[in-house]
Amino acid sequence: MAEVETKRSVGRWTAILPVIVVALLVGAFAKRLMDVEGGQDPSLVPSVLLNTPAPNIDLPPLPDRGAGLATADLKKEVSLVNIWGSWCIACLSEHPLLMDVAGQNDIPLHGIAWRDDPTASVRWLARNGDPYDLIGQDPVSEAAIAFGVTGAPETFVVDADGIIRYKHIGPITPDVWTNTIAPLVEQLRQ
Amino acid sequence: MKPASTIISILFCSLLAATAYAVEPDEMLTDPALEERARVISQDLRCVVCQNETIDESNATLAQDMRRLVRQRILAGDSNQAVLAYMVDRYGDFVLLRPRVTSQTVLLWFGPFLLLLGGAVVAARYIKRPTSAAASALSDEEMAEVDALIQKTDRPDTK
């Protein structure tokens, strides 16, 4: 009698097992979908360079600009490094925000002119404004690959010791600036 | 040749055509052995812009620059593993098209075999299960219980 009962309860348990598995799968898929809806783009690649020293670069300057950009320049104080190019449409949409940031803050904002014709970079800055402190030219993606860049624009927050603390992929929005980057810079400065 | 068979043979030839690679002549190393190594490494590296192509196949400018860097590293004396490690240090495991076996990917690699094993265990138990005739045979004790129940329903006052 007891044996029959255990058998029956095992049978009941395995009967609802598929339902449990399906429910778990639906839950997992739903969570992922909601993450994507909430702004987490699954195609964005998390950077392995977070909390590691900024890579070794020594980039030449644009014409008529004093100095280029080297790793030593990133070890003085908390700074931002923005990868852009005159060919990059998203950079143009981000540009007004960078102009505001440069105008209203004393955070050094450095630029890496990625795979761009130097005269085109200079003309673009003359037309749209120049928010950058230092700019280095990166004609063959040497710095871009060293920073693990997958597309422009990307922006890195580098602390006073030259350690990468944050990476933003895509244009910085006012929301990202106010709620993420500005507080982080403030915190790193203390 | 009739037009139709011409078209068919052209289509057939296009099936045989090898994948077109993006490597341009001026990118290639002069030493064929080193160039061959560069091609092998490039076929293991993901184009991070296009994501589903190798840098060997991709025409993206970043892929082109990554190919150039691969060749630079080879000329600098790096082994194939060292070149791949150089890229992984910058882009993470994501840059490898063949995922490495790590604690995060172990389920990806061996999960299907676990499922197969699980299925085999369930199937074996199902097959080994006693036939329904044997399972339904009642013990003496149970027969007595059944008899008692029948007696009970046969009592006139339950009708």
Side-chain angles (χ1 to χ4, degrees):
Chain A
M1 184 72 202
E3 199 192 322
V4 171
E5 240 166 39
T6 20
K7 260 191 193 152
R8 213 177 273 153
S9 63
V10 167
R12 228 175 271 151
W13 186 77
T14 43
I16 60 161
L17 191 63
V19 179
I20 295 174
V21 170
V22 170
L24 285 176
L25 279 177
V26 167
F29 292 148
K31 186 188 176 303
R32 195 73 183 117
L33 275 176
M34 284 191 286
D35 284 350
V36 174
E37 283 289 303
Q40 271 190 36
D41 185 345
S43 70
L44 298 185
V45 185
S47 179
V48 285
L49 294 173
L50 285 186
N51 302 320
T52 64
N56 270 323
I57 53 168
D58 190 4
L59 303 175
L62 286 177
D64 302 327
R65 285 189 67 117
L69 182 66
T71 310
D73 299 316
L74 304 177
K75 290 181 176 168
K76 291 168 184 163
E77 54 181 315
V78 181
S79 59
L80 305 174
V81 180
N82 178 247
I83 282 97
W84 65 284
S86 67
W87 46 267
C88 156
I89 306 295
C91 303
L92 188 61
S93 77
E94 179 190 53
H95 204 64
L97 184 128
L98 294 184
M99 291 299 289
D100 284 352
V101 165
Q104 292 161 13
N105 298 276
D106 53 353
I107 310 161
L109 171 62
H110 304 308
I112 293 179
W114 181 27
R115 259 199 167 268
D116 204 4
D117 171 32
T119 48
S121 308
V122 170
R123 214 181 311 131
W124 193 87
L125 291 173
R127 192 186 319 130
N128 301 306
D130 182 353
Y132 299 111
D133 290 283
L134 296 170
I135 300 179
Q137 278 189 56
D138 189 22
V140 293
S141 308
E142 180 199 334
I145 295 173
F147 271 97
V149 167
T150 57
E154 280 187 18
T155 306
F156 292 84
V157 178
V158 181
D159 74 9
D161 298 319
I163 313 282
I164 295 173
R165 292 302 182 188
Y166 186 73
K167 172 190 184 179
H168 181 78
I169 299 176
I172 302 174
T173 59
D175 178 57
V176 169
W177 176 261
T178 316
N179 296 320
T180 309
I181 300 183
L184 177 65
V185 168
E186 206 48 52
Q187 184 199 329
L188 289 174
R189 280 180 156 184
Q190 280 157 15
Chain B
M1 221 189 259
K2 284 182 204 164
S5 54
T6 314
I7 291 171
I8 290 173
S9 44
I10 290 173
L11 286 177
F12 184 70
C13 288
S14 68
L15 284 179
L16 298 176
T19 323
Y21 292 107
V23 188
E24 290 179 22
D26 64 334
E27 292 176 21
M28 292 181 184
L29 298 174
T30 45
D31 182 337
L34 294 185
E35 175 62 22
E36 184 52 37
R37 279 181 54 206
R39 299 297 295 272
V40 169
I41 296 170
S42 298
Q43 282 163 26
D44 268 345
L45 289 171
R46 185 193 300 272
C47 164
V48 290
V49 184
C50 11
Q51 304 209 345
N52 286 325
E53 280 185 307
T54 68
I55 62 168
D56 201 51
E57 300 161 334
S58 173
N59 288 308
T61 51
L62 184 55
Q64 192 186 338
D65 290 338
M66 284 168 81
R67 286 198 296 270
R68 186 178 299 137
L69 187 63
V70 164
R71 285 166 175 80
Q72 273 176 18
R73 301 305 311 170
I74 289 177
L75 288 180
D78 278 10
S79 68
N80 291 17
Q81 283 310 310
V83 178
L84 290 176
Y86 184 91
M87 287 297 185
V88 170
D89 282 349
R90 283 149 186 82
Y91 285 104
D93 283 342
F94 170 75
V95 81
L96 299 174
L97 276 167
R98 185 191 301 269
R100 291 190 298 194
V101 182
T102 67
S103 58
Q104 277 188 313
T105 60
V106 70
L107 210 57
L108 183 69
W109 276 99
F110 300 109
F113 299 109
L114 279 180
L115 283 178
L116 188 67
L117 196 70
V121 168
V122 170
R125 283 182 53 177
Y126 185 80
I127 292 164
K128 270 204 214 156
R129 191 184 286 177
T131 58
S132 54
S136 64
L138 299 179
S139 63
D140 291 349
E141 199 180 303
E142 282 163 342
M143 281 308 282
E145 202 175 335
V146 170
D147 284 344
L149 283 169
I150 291 170
Q151 296 266 315
K152 207 171 164 192
T153 46
D154 278 351
R155 271 183 8 208
D157 59 30
T158 56
K159 277 179 187 167

